[in-house]
Amino acid sequence: MAAPLTLLLIVAVTIRAVLFRSSLAELISARVEVVSPLNAWKRVVEGLALLDLGVSPYSGDVFHETPLMIYLFHFTVDYAEIVFIVSAYFFRKQKYALESDRYSADCLELLRSPKEMFYIPLKVAMFYLLNPFTILSCVAKSTCGLNNAIIALFIFCTLKGSALLSGILLALATYQSIYPLTLFAPALLFFLQRLYIPVNLRRSSFWFFTLQYAFMYVGSLVVITGLSFFLLGSWDFIPSVYGFIFSVPDLTPNIGLFWYFFAEMFEHFRLFFSCVFQFNVFFYTIPLSIKLKEHPVFLIFMQIAIISIFKSYPTVGDVALYMAFLPAWSHLYRFLRNIFLVSCVLLACSALFPVLWHLWIYAGSANSNFYYAITLLFNFGQVKVFTTTWLTNCEWKNRWRNKVSLFINLY
Amino acid sequence: MLILSSLLLFILLAAARDEFQEELVIRPLHSGDIYASFQFRTLWDTDFLQEGQKVSHYRLFPKSLGQVLSKFSVRELHISFTQGFWRTMQWGQPFIPSPPGAELWVWFHDTVSDVDGNWKELTNVLSGIFCASLNFIDLTNTVQPSASFKPLGLGNATDHRFLRYATLPREIVCTENLTPWKKLLPCGSKAGLAVLMKSEKLFHSSFHSQAVHIRPICQDEQCSSKAWELRQTLNVVFDLHTSGQGKKEWSLFKMFSRTLTEACPLASSSKVYVDITDNPELFELSPATPLLGQAVVLGDRRTYSVYDLIMPTSSMVLSPCALGDMLRPLLHAERYVAGFGLQTGEIHTVIYNNHPYRAFPVLLMDSVPWYLQLYIHTLTVTSKSRDNKPSYIHYQPAKDRHRPHLLEMLIQLPPHSMTEVTVQFERALLKWTEYTPDPNHGFYVGSSVVSALVPSMVAMRTNFTQDQPLFSSFVPVKEESSYFVRVYTEPLLVNLPTPDFSMPYNVICLTCTVVAVGYGSFYNLLTRTFQVDEPSPPLSKRLANLIRRMRGVPLLT
């Protein structure tokens, strides 16, 4: 197991190093699909330059990173490339832990053999490290890679059973971008399942553990926020980072749905629709937790997918994060409907994004509608990917339970 | 008759203690154009800003401006409207520089508590007085320069919180702006030099700039008494080639289509200066005048023929034959946008120091609108292809939709060199309502301001005399060896990416559709239960079962 993993690591690091040194690095770090106003490296450098000039980085509207990030890069700005490669490495450590979640059953054609299961972490690592989206994100030095690493570490600690570390890492992930807040529920459900505490609102043990975990999480969040305040001496970073994420003032095109919607929004309805769109991300937590309370790992995957699609400034790095989870459900591959169609849609959109961007911005022969259409299609494809995965997961559960052929009466 | 009128004038002057002077300077330029500069100065010994006592008796000073000064506690006001761009390399330095479009900068008094509120109201009031759209000046294009715009009048103000500077590069100047400007003059356009200002000819020119400058000044060397000075200036550059003159011959009638008849009776001095420094023996001025004056202005000693209108004279004709070498302007600046596409770009500002052996520092001020996001870490200053680090940088980044970028730098220019300042920027996508009706025309970026104390080849006069010509006394001269120069660069025109303006409803529908597809699938999967269903038997079996049921026999499975 160690040998193929090491080989994979070497290949991944080589690809990234080669691309870092080539002239493509400049080109990639300017692409709007890969970087967004929240996590562009150019803006981090700009924030550091403003700090050197004696101006607060949050006094303008260019820099939207958290203060801890400034101080991290203040010291490592020359070695930034190494930081990003290392964070990619951390990511796949957690994949080992997924094995412990699998049920053992004797229905062989529905499950993978133990031999297959052995290779899942390697497949997951491969899916992430060699995914072109991740490579682009890393070469562009987008801080999305760091966010992904923190989320991966959080999942690792959760699966390993360490509640305190998991709480701290989740607080760190929430501090970076507010959306991982929704991952609190699946983590909680996982711990409850692991400790054999039934999810019953009337049981005191449930509340006891929930409060414990919530306290650890909220406590670490408060500590981290307080630390940021003391680092820079003001609360400016809160409207600059969190206010920016929620109110979406910057309409730079990206692969998400927000930018064109708010560029063409009537002023009167702007506040209403911002609230609706932001609520849309957090809204699915409770219903999904109720439905999937026995499968917290799948719930984590669903939450990450929802965040990646409906967040205010998505990039391909976020897409790569949930795509890396797909090999963990390789037992579903046989049953995935329309998978060919959906993957073709995603591939075609990924290819068309730079083409239509060039036609709009540089050639002047297309207009913003072309790029917007591809955005719509890409997001539609992503929605189809994870709803299909979920659907086949439900089917698989039923088959496994009933071991009979199924006639599913759906749409 | 003459004695009586002058006696009357003296009495009036003694009573009200205000004074009006007018002058016109005509300078033929080396490119064949004629530069005419009118200056009208009203000096008034009063205090607008004193508490309690409202000034109510206006004579020469226009009442509208006086009321503006007292209501908004303004200490200095400078407003200019310019059509065209001053070509420094071909025409030399102007007496009073101004950027294309409208420019307004104001120093408020220390007692003002809400400077932004006063600024907003002031711009609206001035917009009404000058019939210009100055109401477009708001916080998104106003800056507070820290070093570039020190007070030109009295006052040792160092707190730039009371200074506001704004420019509207898109503003067009026309007759509508000239008429209220002329109305502010004591004699209007009925007598004196203002008779020459007729719009058909004035706007048929290469450059036209009208300005109003109000400031408090000292009336004598010891500054024992202070007065308010109102200067109205009009600079025009006529292009003789396009106005149909084949030969290099001009007359006042040909330029302005009017002749001077009499001086303004309210003026204490009314003079016309004609610059004859370049090859005086080749000029022929008619009617000739024995009066010659010399003045040092902009680091250059020039000789002028002086015509005094208080003593009446007739129209003037001049026929120059050849012109000598022009004094090369020592400081010159250009600006342009580099790059392609609608995503990024670079602003290049090039400053030339043409002095052969002296280096001097310049203060460069750039005010860039918020929708062009500047990246200050890409700022490079190179002189003679070597890095030249500015000794003072004041940078205030922009806040989206609230204030623009302000960048001020003190750069040392090496002698006889070209210095290039480059900054990269990114173009933002705006909301569809924030675009002008013609979005593909582009967005204007106001001119950069380069201010410097340029070393002078000729000693400047620092002592203060009352009979100095107006054009040489505008900028206070603090030392003999240098003079103050302000150079404005070209405004920039930058294109931004535009959304499709016909699509708001479609976009809302389509985006909500995708979100609804997600929501619908989720709802489906959350609420649907899966159940096992027996597959339906084939048709033959069903028919057989039907017959069996009728017969009462057990069914097939």
Side-chain angles (χ1 to χ4, degrees):
Chain A
M1 192 62 199
L5 201 60
T6 321
L7 183 65
L8 179 66
L9 220 63
I10 290 174
V11 167
V13 170
T14 313
I15 296 177
R16 282 163 171 77
V18 162
L19 280 174
F20 264 135
R21 291 283 161 240
S22 73
S23 61
L24 283 177
E26 281 273 333
L27 204 71
I28 293 171
S29 35
R31 292 234 49 98
V32 287
E33 296 92 7
V34 183
V35 299
S36 75
L38 272 179
N39 52 27
W41 178 246
K42 199 172 181 189
R43 291 182 183 240
V44 172
V45 177
E46 178 69 11
L48 292 175
L50 284 175
L51 208 62
D52 285 337
L53 267 181
V55 178
S56 160
Y58 300 111
S59 58
D61 255 337
V62 162
F63 186 71
H64 299 285
E65 298 277 357
T66 49
L68 282 182
M69 197 63 90
I70 302 180
Y71 278 91
L72 171 70
F73 282 113
H74 205 57
F75 300 112
T76 61
V77 70
D78 294 325
Y79 308 104
E81 303 160 9
I82 302 180
V83 169
F84 283 105
I85 294 181
V86 163
S87 66
Y89 164 74
F90 274 138
F91 184 86
R92 20 133 328 281
K93 267 181 67 94
Q94 55 89 17
K95 296 312 177 181
Y96 283 113
L98 275 178
E99 288 182 63
S100 60
D101 186 35
R102 294 278 73 94
Y103 301 95
S104 60
D106 48 357
C107 192
L108 238 70
E109 79 266 15
L110 293 175
L111 289 176
R112 307 138 299 161
S113 63
K115 191 157 174 246
E116 280 176 31
M117 271 178 57
F118 183 67
Y119 279 113
I120 284 180
L122 182 64
K123 281 196 203 156
V124 167
M126 199 165 67
F127 254 60
Y128 185 75
L129 286 173
L130 297 181
N131 191 347
F133 288 161
T134 336
I135 296 178
L136 285 175
S137 195
C138 185
V139 171
K141 291 194 273 206
S142 154
T143 54
C144 185
L146 288 174
N147 293 352
N148 287 359
I150 295 176
I151 293 179
L153 277 174
F154 152 72
I155 297 174
F156 179 62
C157 295
T158 310
L159 293 173
K160 279 288 176 226
S162 157
L164 178 66
L165 269 182
S166 150
I168 293 174
L169 284 165
L170 184 63
L172 203 58
T174 311
Y175 166 76
Q176 277 295 105
S177 68
I178 206 118
Y179 295 110
L181 176 66
T182 56
L183 295 173
F184 178 78
L188 183 65
L189 285 172
F190 184 82
F191 282 119
L192 288 173
Q193 194 183 63
R194 202 188 157 85
L195 296 172
Y196 302 109
I197 301 173
V199 182
N200 192 340
L201 287 175
R202 283 185 284 266
R203 300 285 282 268
S204 63
S205 52
F206 165 73
W207 284 113
F208 182 66
F209 186 77
T210 310
L211 283 171
Q212 230 181 351
Y213 189 58
F215 180 71
M216 281 190 276
Y217 169 62
V218 171
S220 355
L221 194 60
V222 164
V223 164
I224 294 172
T225 315
L227 187 66
S228 317
F229 171 70
F230 285 117
L231 276 178
L232 278 183
S234 72
W235 292 110
D236 278 348
F237 71 97
I238 291 185
S240 241
V241 182
Y242 307 117
F244 182 78
I245 294 176
F246 281 130
S247 61
V248 194
D250 191 321
L251 299 170
T252 313
N254 48 52
I255 61 172
L257 296 165
F258 275 66
W259 62 279
Y260 207 48
F261 190 73
F262 288 106
E264 300 269 14
M265 174 55 57
F266 299 104
E267 263 322 293
H268 188 66
F269 296 107
R270 217 185 132 70
L271 183 61
F272 170 69
F273 276 106
S274 331
C275 295
V276 166
F277 269 58
Q278 298 293 352
F279 187 59
N280 189 40
V281 181
F282 295 100
F283 165 71
Y284 297 112
T285 313
I286 309 264
L288 275 176
S289 313
I290 295 172
K291 180 81 180 178
L292 291 172
K293 59 177 177 282
E294 290 107 27
H295 308 275
V297 182
F298 194 73
L299 183 58
I300 291 181
F301 164 71
M302 293 298 287
Q303 287 290 12
I304 291 179
I306 291 170
I307 292 173
S308 303
I309 298 173
F310 293 117
K311 70 191 287 196
S312 39
Y313 293 100
T315 60
V316 291
D318 301 308
V319 174
L321 179 62
Y322 79 80
M323 276 194 177
F325 272 90
L326 287 175
W329 289 280
S330 52
H331 56 281
L332 300 175
Y333 284 170
R334 270 178 45 207
F335 310 107
L336 284 174
R337 294 166 170 230
N338 306 322
I339 194 63
F340 176 67
L341 188 66
V342 169
S343 35
C344 279
V345 162
L346 288 178
L347 275 173
C349 289
S350 316
L352 279 174
F353 269 125
V355 170
L356 292 172
W357 177 258
H358 178 85
L359 281 181
W360 173 26
I361 298 288
Y362 294 100
S365 51
N367 65 8
S368 48
N369 291 336
F370 292 70
Y371 194 76
Y372 168 64
I374 298 299
T375 306
L376 284 180
L377 201 56
F378 188 71
N379 284 306
F380 180 77
Q382 285 187 75
V383 166
K384 274 284 156 239
V385 161
F386 74 82
T387 50
T388 313
T389 314
W390 189 8
L391 172 64
T392 38
N393 196 25
C394 295
E395 282 187 24
W396 173 82
K397 276 189 303 198
N398 270 301
R399 280 205 192 198
W400 178 64
R401 280 202 196 110
N402 299 301
K403 288 196 219 176
V404 294
S405 54
L406 219 46
F407 182 78
I408 296 178
N409 191 9
L410 270 180
Y411 355 35
Chain B
M1 211 46 227
L2 204 64
I3 300 164
L4 202 64
S5 60
S6 51
L7 196 67
L8 198 67
L9 207 63
F10 178 73
I11 293 168
L12 282 170
L13 279 176
R17 293 188 310 168
D18 54 5
E19 187 192 1
F20 176 66
Q21 296 164 328
E22 53 180 17
E23 76 174 27
L24 163 65
V25 181
I26 299 181
R27 180 204 280 189
L29 299 170
H30 281 253
S31 51
D33 307 299
I34 302 281
Y35 174 30
S37 171
F38 292 84
Q39 280 207 38
F40 303 92
R41 179 169 93 152
T42 307
L43 265 182
W44 195 15
D45 203 359
T46 183
D47 194 357
F48 285 113
L49 301 176
Q50 68 190 32
E51 301 292 324
Q53 265 191 346
K54 256 182 57 162
V55 178
S56 53
H57 187 65
Y58 290 87
R59 203 176 73 97
L60 295 176
F61 202 94
K63 183 171 181 181
S64 48
L65 289 180
Q67 287 179 327
V68 161
L69 291 179
S70 45
K71 178 156 198 269
F72 299 111
S73 310
V74 169
R75 204 174 60 214
E76 266 194 41
L77 183 130
H78 301 268
I79 184 168
S80 71
F81 299 94
T82 310
Q83 181 80 2
F85 180 67
W86 183 270
R87 295 167 210 286
T88 313
M89 290 313 275
Q90 286 141 336
W91 298 341
Q93 296 278 7
F95 294 126
I96 297 177
S98 51
E103 184 203 41
L104 171 66
W105 57 283
V106 174
W107 273 95
F108 288 94
H109 210 250
D110 310 10
T111 55
V112 174
S113 53
D114 178 19
V115 184
D116 285 326
N118 275 25
W119 172 252
K120 183 99 190 108
E121 286 186 41
L122 177 66
T123 50
N124 280 291
V125 166
L126 287 176
S127 158
I129 293 177
F130 290 104
C131 289
S133 37
L134 296 174
N135 51 325
F136 283 128
I137 293 178
D138 54 12
L139 290 174
T140 60
N141 48 19
T142 308
V143 289
Q144 302 175 30
S146 64
S148 297
F149 284 91
K150 292 293 179 203
L152 284 177
L154 274 185
N156 47 354
T158 48
D159 192 355
H160 62 275
R161 283 183 300 127
F162 296 101
L163 168 65
R164 293 288 184 274
Y165 174 86
T167 165
L168 291 173
R170 212 182 163 139
E171 186 71 15
I172 299 177
V173 186
C174 54
T175 317
E176 257 182 17
N177 308 115
L178 184 64
T179 314
W181 188 90
K182 281 194 292 189
K183 281 207 187 123
L184 296 172
L185 296 168
C187 285
S189 49
K190 297 186 181 56
L193 293 172
V195 165
L196 295 175
M197 296 194 288
K198 288 296 165 197
S199 21
E200 320 80 73
K201 282 294 192 177
L202 276 184
F203 288 103
H204 195 66
S205 57
S206 309
F207 178 84
H208 167 97
S209 169
Q210 64 201 53
V212 171
H213 302 275
I214 305 178
R215 58 184 177 170
I217 59 162
C218 293
Q219 278 195 310
D220 51 21
E221 194 116 2
Q222 290 83 19
C223 217
S224 51
S225 65
K226 305 191 182 80
W228 281 89
E229 181 197 67
L230 162 70
R231 274 193 200 229
Q232 286 179 257
T233 64
L234 190 104
N235 293 349
V236 197
V237 174
F238 291 104
D239 187 355
L240 289 182
H241 297 291
T242 56
S243 46
Q245 327 289 337
K247 10 185 223 293
K248 282 194 194 151
E249 177 186 270
W250 55 266
S251 73
L252 278 184
F253 186 76
K254 278 190 190 152
M255 285 201 296
F256 298 104
S257 69
R258 292 287 185 285
T259 54
L260 286 172
T261 47
E262 49 161 359
C264 174
L266 299 168
S268 63
S269 107
S270 180
K271 293 200 168 88
V272 177
Y273 296 87
V274 180
D275 191 334
I276 56 169
T277 319
D278 303 309
N279 292 328
E281 61 273 3
L282 295 173
F283 279 166
E284 201 190 293
L285 269 179
S286 151
T289 169
L291 284 171
L292 283 177
Q294 278 211 338
V296 179
V297 61
L298 296 170
D300 196 16
R301 185 179 300 281
R302 303 194 76 82
T303 316
Y304 294 88
S305 287
V306 185
Y307 293 84
D308 198 333
L309 285 181
I310 305 290
M311 262 66 84
T313 181
S314 56
S315 61
M316 259 169 285
V317 180
L318 176 85
S319 322
C321 299
L323 294 164
D325 293 320
M326 179 179 74
L327 170 71
R328 204 145 169 242
L330 293 176
L331 181 64
H332 172 52
E334 288 172 348
R335 193 160 74 141
Y336 57 91
V337 172
F340 64 96
L342 294 176
Q343 190 179 7
T344 55
E346 249 182 34
I347 299 182
H348 290 241
T349 312
V350 183
I351 313 176
Y352 297 91
N353 175 5
N354 294 325
H355 203 288
Y357 49 86
R358 289 281 300 273
F360 54 89
V362 297
L363 200 61
L364 170 67
M365 185 188 97
D366 248 318
S367 165
V368 178
W370 62 267
Y371 38 81
L372 301 181
Q373 291 147 352
L374 288 184
Y375 285 94
I376 205 71
H377 70 273
T378 56
L379 175 71
T380 56
V381 183
T382 45
S383 301
K384 291 181 173 171
S385 52
R386 268 204 324 254
D387 228 5
N388 180 358
K389 204 162 148 39
S391 50
Y392 166 75
I393 299 183
H394 171 70
Y395 177 60
Q396 193 186 47
K399 262 248 177 278
D400 276 3
R401 301 179 180 92
H402 283 119
R403 58 163 200 248
H405 297 277
L406 175 66
L407 176 63
E408 280 184 280
M409 294 188 286
L410 186 69
I411 309 172
Q412 184 80 6
L413 300 181
H416 205 67
S417 68
M418 177 186 97
T419 305
E420 188 159 356
V421 179
T422 59
V423 181
Q424 278 182 15
F425 64 89
E426 263 183 21
R427 306 174 203 224
L429 186 73
L430 306 177
K431 299 181 202 170
W432 69 305
T433 47
E434 287 172 346
Y435 288 88
T436 52
D438 50 349
N440 290 307
H441 176 73
F443 287 77
Y444 283 93
V445 179
S447 313
S448 298
V449 186
V450 179
S451 323
L453 277 175
V454 180
S456 165
M457 313 263 216
V458 171
M460 310 282 293
R461 273 170 57 181
T462 52
N463 51 349
F464 177 89
T465 47
Q466 271 286 17
D467 55 352
Q468 255 183 329
L470 289 177
F471 61 86
S472 60
S473 65
F474 181 64
V475 181
V477 177
K478 298 270 169 46
E479 41 180 271
E480 283 185 351
S481 55
S482 57
Y483 58 96
F484 179 73
V485 159
R486 189 170 275 150
V487 177
Y488 291 94
T489 62
E490 294 95 329
L492 301 173
L493 188 59
V494 174
N495 267 53
L496 292 181
T498 58
D500 190 347
F501 297 100
S502 61
M503 289 271 288
Y505 181 69
N506 302 354
V507 166
I508 295 173
C509 285
L510 289 168
T511 310
C512 290
T513 304
V514 173
V515 176
V517 162
Y519 174 77
S521 318
F522 268 44
Y523 183 80
N524 210 350
L525 291 166
L526 281 170
T527 54
R528 192 164 290 278
T529 52
F530 290 82
Q531 51 185 328
V532 178
D533 227 8
E534 289 288 335
S536 63
L539 187 61
S540 54
K541 231 180 190 175
R542 271 190 275 157
L543 275 175
N545 276 336
L546 191 67
I547 296 168
R548 281 188 172 218
R549 212 179 287 127
M550 283 195 303
R551 280 172 56 193
V553 163
L555 299 174
L556 293 171
T557 50

